[in-house]
Amino acid sequence: MTGDGYSRRMTVLPRGGRPRRGGRRPGWLLLTVLLVLAILASSALVFTDRVELLKLAVILALWAAVVAAFVSVIYRRQSDLDQAKARDLKFVYDLQLDREISARREYELTVETQLRRELASELRAQAADEVAALRSELAALRANLEILFDTDLVHRPAIETDKSAVRTAGRVTASRLDIPAVEVTDIRSSRTEESPIIDVPAEPHPPENDWATSGGAHRLPSRPVPAGEPPRRRRRQQEAARQPEQLDQELSWIDEQVGGKPYGADIIVPAKFEGKGENLSRGQLTDRIPAEYREFVAQLLADHDIEPETKQRFGGSSLSGDTGRELLDVAMSHPIRLIANALGVPPDYMIEAGRERGVPVAALVGAREHALKQVQAGVDLIVAQGTEAGGHCGEVSTLVLVPEVIEALEAAGSDIPVLAAGGIVTGRQMAAAVAMGAAGAWTGSVWLTTEEAETAPHTVQKMLEATSRDTVRSTGRTGKPARQLRSDWTDAWQPNPGGHQTLPLPLQNMLAEPVIRRVDVLAAQGHPGAQALATYFVGQGVGLMNKVKPAREVVREFIEDYLAATERLSNSLPD
């Protein structure tokens, strides 16, 4: 019996095991003796009258009867054995037949299950594509509305049913809390229960730019002036207050989704930045952005057929005022199990808050001396992040940095756990990190191309097509070296040869982020110039990220790859 991918052969008895149809039976000798005795006895009885011969004939007849009895018993036993063997053969045949039928059914069920899985996978992929397309359209629509009305609509419902702030079921869209550019109107002004969130004046002022295009440039309108717009300083205060509110909303969403499972928060509070210790407002930081840089960005957009905005906008900063401490207070008000900081030693208030609440404090480092400073400051966990990592990173590779940091901590008498980070997107890389002495791995980029990620579709496509050489450490987005996808934006700034000098943190971020957000909106709409400028933080492991997968599958592949790698290491050792 055969089938696709399935073939079995019925058991055939060997020739020696088959019952022989011809040949001599086991009792042939006794049968011959019986015939001889019978012939002799018959001859004596017929051809002689002598008493002695007649007695001999009777004796021979008796022995013939005895021999006949033996022959009968032998043949009966042989017959029973043949019948038993036939029954056994039939039983074996029936078992093999049942096995063949079961195997065939199992094969058919396997094929059916595989077809069902493939069909379900195709349906999920189709649904994911449709959802991604809808998300892209909604994101583009929301971004256009934000640009049109010069306000932020991310955390504001279409219809208010309560005067209190409404939390949206959004997701954390980045591994760092970056500050977007917004000009927030007063949402606390009195409204009816079904009043729209955007107050349009009865006689709106005409926009300075319309939707028409000229010379291939995409023009974006400036927003109408809302009726009763609050003073500029009040808008700035609300914008600064929005950062803790945004973090609170995102962590609240996580609380609802994880069901009590542990998670952590990663907040950037750099040790060095422009205006440190001066307690500058957002407006004061904005005033420090030279006009030369504003003109350079406007010209860069024009070179890519993107019409510069009539009124240039600037991003907010979590480094203005006391926003960093407020962000930490919000994070600590949630059941987080870890707080992480990058770009220097965490501030004292972060370490003290962690100790008071029993929350370990982690620090990301890019050099051994940085790790020693973190230990002296009192952190509980070191993340040794090599230059392959996405986002802010140093110049030392993960393969060198991890053992270097571990040896430095051991020499200093510290037993703080060290996690390896930077370019780790597979289980075998995690196994290599553990083999070097790391307690585990810290991953980031690998999740950007999962089905659950909210990475923009055009950015995902760029990542899937990118190789490990298509990323670059650029200061063009934040003022600090951060690895990201190479694009015309990164090429326009140092350290790229011929690039423009960047501003220090957070001024460069305030200058760049509104432009990058606008570029992303246009890139999602297919604008070629915007697609050439679009970039996103991602590590060199992007060269191994060639397919969109569910996060569950990424975890499963990590486990399988890790186990296979550790088994190879074990087998490489001599017995």
Side-chain angles (χ1 to χ4, degrees):
M1 182 180 297
T2 60
D4 296 336
Y6 160 82
S7 176
R8 290 181 180 270
R9 182 169 58 89
M10 297 292 288
T11 302
V12 180
L13 291 175
R15 295 185 62 183
R18 301 179 186 175
R20 292 177 291 181
R21 298 180 180 274
R24 297 174 179 177
R25 295 289 183 177
W28 66 271
L29 181 59
L30 292 177
L31 183 59
T32 302
V33 172
L34 172 63
L35 291 175
V36 171
L37 292 175
I39 292 171
L40 292 176
S42 299
S43 300
L45 290 174
V46 173
F47 297 106
T48 183
D49 292 332
R50 295 176 60 181
V51 176
E52 295 83 358
L53 293 177
L54 290 174
K55 290 181 179 180
L56 179 60
V58 172
I59 293 173
L60 292 175
L62 292 174
W63 277 108
V66 172
V67 172
F70 273 103
V71 171
S72 175
V73 171
I74 290 174
Y75 272 88
R76 184 178 300 171
R77 183 176 299 173
Q78 184 66 36
S79 176
D80 292 340
L81 290 176
D82 290 343
Q83 291 178 3
K85 184 180 294 185
R87 287 194 301 270
D88 292 341
L89 291 175
K90 186 177 183 303
F91 179 72
V92 171
Y93 175 80
D94 291 339
L95 287 178
Q96 290 181 344
L97 183 60
D98 291 340
R99 186 184 303 170
E100 297 284 345
I101 295 174
S102 299
R104 182 65 183 182
R105 289 177 179 173
E106 182 179 357
Y107 168 74
E108 292 174 351
L109 289 175
T110 302
V111 172
E112 182 181 357
T113 303
Q114 183 178 358
L115 291 176
R116 288 179 180 272
R117 288 178 179 175
E118 292 177 356
L119 180 59
S121 178
E122 291 178 0
L123 292 176
R124 284 196 300 268
Q126 183 179 359
D129 292 340
E130 293 176 356
V131 171
L134 289 175
R135 282 182 176 176
S136 177
E137 293 177 2
L138 289 175
L141 177 61
R142 183 170 59 191
N144 286 335
L145 288 175
E146 289 177 350
I147 295 173
L148 175 63
F149 294 101
D150 198 13
T151 187
D152 185 16
L153 309 179
V154 175
H155 301 289
R156 299 170 68 179
I159 296 179
E160 286 190 351
T161 58
D162 193 344
K163 291 183 179 180
S164 61
V166 180
R167 290 181 178 177
T168 60
R171 295 185 181 179
V172 179
T173 58
S175 59
R176 297 281 192 268
L177 186 62
D178 297 326
I179 310 304
V182 289
E183 289 283 341
V184 180
T185 57
D186 187 3
I187 64 173
R188 295 179 177 82
S189 59
S190 60
R191 299 188 183 98
T192 62
E193 289 188 349
E194 295 186 354
S195 61
I197 63 169
I198 302 175
D199 297 324
V200 181
E203 296 181 2
H205 297 277
E208 297 178 9
N209 297 327
D210 54 24
W211 290 101
T213 59
S214 173
H218 283 228
R219 295 177 178 267
L220 297 176
S222 60
R223 68 177 178 90
V225 179
E229 185 178 63
R232 182 176 182 84
R233 184 174 66 178
R234 184 176 180 183
R235 292 203 309 273
R236 288 179 177 176
Q237 291 173 348
Q238 289 180 343
E239 182 172 311
R242 176 185 171 277
Q243 311 310 327
E245 292 176 2
Q246 178 186 3
L247 179 61
D248 182 55
Q249 291 169 351
E250 292 175 345
L251 294 183
S252 297
W253 182 88
I254 293 178
D255 293 339
E256 297 172 358
Q257 302 300 316
V258 301
K261 294 183 176 63
Y263 71 93
D266 186 0
I267 301 176
I268 294 182
V269 185
K272 298 179 181 179
F273 57 90
E274 177 73 14
K276 181 179 180 180
E278 301 180 40
N279 197 26
L280 300 177
S281 66
R282 173 181 175 274
Q284 291 172 319
L285 287 172
T286 301
D287 293 339
R288 294 193 178 188
I289 300 177
E292 173 196 353
Y293 285 81
R294 309 180 189 200
E295 295 171 359
F296 176 77
V297 170
Q299 184 60 47
L300 181 60
L301 293 177
D303 292 342
H304 289 78
D305 290 335
I306 300 176
E307 184 74 14
E309 293 179 304
T310 303
K311 177 183 176 182
Q312 191 171 15
R313 296 184 301 156
F314 299 95
S317 173
S318 61
L319 306 181
S320 60
D322 205 18
T323 309
R325 187 185 294 270
E326 293 174 359
L327 291 173
L328 178 64
D329 291 340
V330 170
M332 288 297 184
S333 68
H334 291 265
I336 62 173
R337 301 291 293 275
L338 178 72
I339 188 75
N341 180 64
L343 297 182
V345 177
D348 294 338
Y349 61 78
M350 179 180 289
I351 296 178
E352 293 173 0
R355 290 175 178 172
E356 290 176 1
R357 295 170 174 82
V359 177
V361 179
L364 280 71
V365 302
R368 62 181 298 275
E369 56 270 21
H370 298 164
L372 294 174
K373 291 181 180 179
Q374 299 285 3
V375 171
Q376 294 173 359
V379 300
D380 305 294
L381 179 68
I382 295 293
V383 180
Q385 181 169 273
T387 189
E388 301 94 328
H392 297 108
C393 58
E395 299 176 322
V396 183
S397 73
T398 306
L399 195 64
V400 174
L401 179 64
V402 172
E404 189 177 29
V405 168
I406 292 175
E407 288 185 4
L409 295 184
E410 290 177 349
S414 174
D415 58 352
I416 290 179
V418 176
L419 298 181
I424 299 177
V425 296
T426 65
R428 69 187 67 185
Q429 292 172 298
M430 183 170 67
V434 174
M436 290 190 294
W442 180 284
T443 61
S445 298
V446 67
W447 310 107
L448 294 176
T449 54
T450 58
E451 292 180 358
E452 293 81 0
E454 292 189 345
T455 314
H458 68 276
T459 303
V460 172
Q461 189 60 34
K462 267 193 169 185
M463 292 180 180
L464 297 179
E465 296 173 354
T467 68
S468 57
R469 293 182 295 179
D470 292 327
T471 65
V472 62
R473 288 176 72 244
S474 172
T475 58
R477 288 195 66 165
T478 67
K480 293 278 189 179
R483 187 169 297 281
Q484 55 201 281
L485 287 173
R486 190 183 194 101
S487 71
D488 288 359
W489 177 267
T490 60
D491 290 345
W493 301 93
Q494 291 182 357
N496 188 57
H500 197 286
Q501 183 178 358
T502 56
L503 294 168
L505 183 76
L507 302 184
Q508 183 70 22
N509 182 74
M510 297 174 67
L511 174 68
E513 284 311 306
V515 178
I516 294 297
R517 291 181 63 197
R518 186 170 175 228
V519 163
D520 284 339
V521 172
L522 295 176
Q525 298 172 354
H527 188 290
Q531 291 178 345
L533 286 170
T535 181
Y536 199 80
F537 300 110
V538 69
Q540 288 182 307
V542 70
L544 296 171
M545 297 156 49
N546 304 316
K547 181 181 178 182
V548 176
K549 306 174 184 177
R552 178 187 296 271
E553 184 176 345
V554 174
V555 174
R556 180 182 58 79
E557 290 180 354
F558 251 90
I559 295 174
E560 294 176 351
D561 205 18
Y562 178 85
L563 293 176
T566 54
E567 184 177 359
R568 286 194 297 271
L569 286 174
S570 178
N571 293 337
S572 66
L573 299 176
D575 295 334

